[in-house]
Every structure is written in structure tokens, then in C-alpha cells.
Amino acid sequence: MSLQIGIVGLPNVGKSTLFNALTRANAAVASYPFTTIEPNIGVAAVPDERLYAVAQVVNPETVTPATVEFVDIAGLVKGAHQGEGLGNRFLAHIRNVDAIAMVVRCFEAPDIPHPSGEIDPVADIEIVDVEMALADLETVEKRLSKTRSAAKSRPRDYEDVLLLLEDLHRHLAAGHRAATWQGGDEGKALVRELNLLTGKARLFVANVSEDDLPDGGELVDRVRQKAQEEGSEVVVICAPLEEELARWPEEEALAYLKELGLEEPGLNRLVRAGFHLLDLITFFTATGRREVRAWPVKRGTTVWEAAGKIHTDMQKGFVRAEVINWRDFVAAGSWAEARAKGIVRVEGRDYKVQDGDVIHIRFSH
């Protein structure tokens, strides 16, 4: 299954409008396709100029970008951890994603009510954080109860994990996110195992009015300060505008964006930010003239593992990988010329793929 980013937030923050913009945008507008594979999942292509630079050299029949999946998750309300609103269903959907894009309302609109009656994006973030932290507390308490029961007959076997769980429980009970817990490598593994909501990487999407583009105004400044404190990223977007521009001819859309001080649609920035949030890098394949393709992989992936992503036969019969940086490949103009210049490296199965590698896998059938 592809890595997924959940779009979360309170009601009436523009979540659905943003998701609609993601799933309705077409290649003519942003030059990158967006498609919906399920009613609540949007597949967004990652804008990457390197891919098209490589493609210009190869002149293939098709060019296939890397993609990120966005999942539209129902709006959260206060008390969700106790079943309010869609409650547990909302929280379960968040548990299933790999990272979170939290949409926060940074626009005034008298005709669109706010759940608390006041536009305060930082307070909105805190509501979501509290609900997720309370849900995580329940998860940790259940594991603590089971572990304590098991430790009665074998105390030494469970001593270390009990200490970790108790420390994590104190951290969450104090109102902190699991992502900020200093539990060491064992603690990080425990957070992943428990699939804690507040342990997931996240970014903030500040939904602003068109008049507040490109920077977003004072409300977004509050979000930026919050994001800076936790080392997160903020993407400023006007969701209704993005949805509208998805229907415009490409040249007109880009011209209008430039009038607003923007070089590209906000959706492009969101997709790239989401890609980085998942700690993904990209390698390219450009063999023959059939296809040039971008492949997303987790940072630290070996070339043998990457070969399996392309095709299981390549992994099974892996012999070696020919690797070149995309800039060197473009400068050389072809695989043959790159080999002739001696700038193609031969790597074994343990080589860790680097962002921007162009890779040709040699394998036995």
C-alpha cells in the first residue's frame, strides 16, 4: 500500500474544499495529474523538474511522476475521543495514515460558522492535539494494564517496557505529543508499535482568503510560530482559489497566480511538503525509450530494495546497479555517453539510494 497523508482538522476549516481541489485538478492546470482511486483518497503527482529534465534526454513514450496519497478524514469535534461527532471512526482513520496535514482556518467568513465562534488557528490546533492525546492515553493505558498483568508472573521480562510505558504515559498526561517524547530508540519503536496519533509527523495547511495571499497575514503568523516551536512546516493555501484554478486553462491560471505573487499553485507546494514529510526521496529509471519514471522510496532504502519496487524479478536476479546523478546524466546526454566518460558508478546490493539518482538495474532472468 502507498504511504498516505491524512487531511485533518475541525469542521468548516476548508478541508473538503482543499481535498476537492486536490482530486479535481488536472494536468492542464498544474502540469501534474491528480486522480481519485476511492471516494476519500486522492493520488497526487509530485512536481519534480528533475524528472522532466531526464525525460528530455531520453524522449520516452511516457513520463510517470512519483505520487503521494491524501486521505480526506471527517472533521473532528471536541470530545471525539469519547465518541462525539464521528469520534472513534475519525481517530481510527488518522491511525491508519503515515503522516498528518492539519488544515487550520486562517480566514474570516461570517457566513461560515466556526465551532467555537472565534477564529483562532492555534486554539484549533490545540483542540485537535488534546483529542488525539487523550486517545493515545487510552491506548497506552490499555497496554500498561496488559503489561502489568503479564509482569506479575515474569517481572524481569517486562521491567524495561513497563518503565517506558509509564514514562510515556506521564508525558502524554502532561499534555505533550508522543512525537516530543525522549524515549530513545526503544521509545520510538514503542510509539510506532502503538501507532500513536500524536507520534505521527505532521505539517500545517493554513487556509487563507485570497486577499491574504501570498503570505497569509497575522493569523498565519501565529501558526508559523507554533510550527517553528515543534519543527513543522506551514503551507499557505487559499483552498477555494485552488479549486477554481483547477478548472482554468494552464496559462491563465499561472498568470493569475503571478499577479498574486505566487509562482505556482499551492497544491504543488503542499504535495512536495507532504512528500518530504514522509521522508521520501526519488530515484529515476530511464532505460530505453518507453518510459522515464520517478520512484519514491524511504530515505535509507538500499538499491536491492529499490529493485524490488521496480519489479520482483529484478530483486530476485539482482547482479549490480549502474548509478549516476541526474545532473550528470542530463549533461552527458545519454547512458552511452555517460559510460564513455566514466561517470556511471557500479554499485552492489547494499548501496543506499540517493535523492536524484538515475539507476539501471542489471539482473539475471
Side-chain angles (χ1 to χ4, degrees):
M1 186 179 73
S2 299
L3 294 172
Q4 296 181 333
I5 297 175
I7 302 176
V8 306
L10 298 179
N12 296 336
V13 297
K15 220 165 39 61
S16 296
T17 303
L18 175 63
F19 184 77
N20 288 341
L22 278 169
T23 56
R24 289 179 186 172
N26 56 47
V29 175
S31 300
Y32 308 104
F34 296 77
T35 57
T36 303
I37 59 174
E38 287 184 24
N40 65 333
I41 299 178
V43 182
V46 180
D48 194 334
E49 293 180 358
R50 301 172 302 176
L51 172 67
Y52 295 94
V54 171
Q56 281 188 330
V57 172
V58 178
N59 192 26
E61 295 174 8
T62 59
V63 178
T64 305
T67 60
V68 173
E69 288 190 359
F70 286 89
V71 183
D72 187 21
I73 296 173
L76 172 144
V77 295
K78 197 169 184 178
H81 75 286
Q82 296 175 324
E84 293 295 326
L86 290 177
N88 295 331
R89 180 180 169 190
F90 169 92
L91 297 169
H93 285 168
I94 300 178
R95 241 179 253 291
N96 292 333
V97 301
D98 301 283
I100 293 170
M102 187 184 298
V103 183
V104 290
R105 180 171 170 172
C106 295
F107 64 89
E108 299 282 354
D111 58 324
I112 303 176
H114 187 280
S116 65
E118 181 183 359
I119 307 301
D120 185 343
V122 174
D124 292 352
I125 292 168
E126 289 172 353
I127 289 173
V128 176
D129 280 350
V130 166
E131 293 304 322
M132 292 196 295
L134 290 171
D136 283 349
L137 265 175
E138 290 182 9
T139 299
V140 173
E141 285 167 357
K142 288 178 183 176
R143 177 59 66 89
L144 260 174
S145 178
K146 290 181 180 178
T147 306
R148 283 168 178 156
S149 295
K152 288 178 181 177
S153 57
R154 294 155 50 198
R156 289 188 178 181
D157 291 349
Y158 292 94
E159 182 179 0
D160 291 342
V161 70
L162 267 177
L163 289 173
L164 276 175
L165 283 166
E166 287 167 352
D167 190 45
L168 174 57
H169 187 273
R170 283 191 294 270
H171 183 81
L172 293 170
H176 304 302
R177 300 173 63 238
T180 64
W181 178 47
Q182 301 297 314
D185 291 339
E186 290 183 354
K188 289 178 182 178
L190 180 61
V191 169
R192 286 195 299 271
E193 179 192 344
L194 294 173
N195 207 7
L196 298 183
L197 304 173
T198 62
K200 296 181 184 295
R202 71 176 179 184
L203 60 83
F204 298 107
V205 183
N207 188 17
V208 305
S209 67
E210 187 175 330
D211 292 340
D212 287 327
L213 289 171
D215 296 326
E218 187 269 335
L219 289 173
V220 176
D221 288 340
R222 295 190 217 169
V223 179
R224 287 195 181 98
Q225 184 176 349
K226 171 72 174 176
Q228 187 175 9
E229 290 170 0
E230 64 178 60
S232 297
E233 186 173 350
V234 179
V235 179
V236 179
I237 279 181
C238 174
L241 175 64
E242 296 290 336
E243 189 177 26
E244 177 66 25
L245 290 180
R247 305 185 182 95
W248 288 24
E250 179 182 5
E251 289 186 4
E252 291 181 21
L254 291 177
Y256 188 72
L257 285 169
K258 285 184 179 179
E259 290 180 13
L260 297 172
L262 297 167
E263 293 298 319
E264 62 177 349
L267 296 182
N268 289 15
R269 289 180 281 113
L270 173 57
V271 172
R272 275 198 295 266
F275 193 78
H276 295 145
L277 184 68
L278 293 169
D279 199 23
L280 298 175
I281 61 171
T282 304
F283 75 92
F284 307 100
T285 52
T287 305
R289 294 194 177 275
R290 287 175 298 179
E291 182 185 41
V292 168
R293 182 164 182 167
W295 299 87
V297 292
K298 276 280 191 181
R299 193 179 304 277
T301 296
T302 67
V303 73
W304 180 76
E305 292 167 331
K309 187 173 179 67
I310 300 171
H311 199 287
T312 53
D313 288 347
M314 286 189 176
Q315 189 176 56
K316 290 176 182 176
F318 183 92
V319 176
R320 65 182 182 276
E322 295 178 338
V323 182
I324 183 173
N325 178 268
W326 73 275
R327 287 191 182 88
D328 295 334
F329 180 79
V330 171
S334 69
W335 274 110
E337 189 62 26
R339 292 186 184 104
K341 290 182 176 181
I343 55 177
V344 177
R345 309 189 311 276
V346 175
E347 301 286 359
R349 59 185 288 155
D350 294 330
Y351 168 75
K352 291 185 178 179
V353 176
Q354 301 299 303
D355 190 34
D357 279 347
V358 182
I359 300 177
H360 178 51
I361 304 294
R362 297 287 185 181
F363 67 104
S364 58
H365 295 277

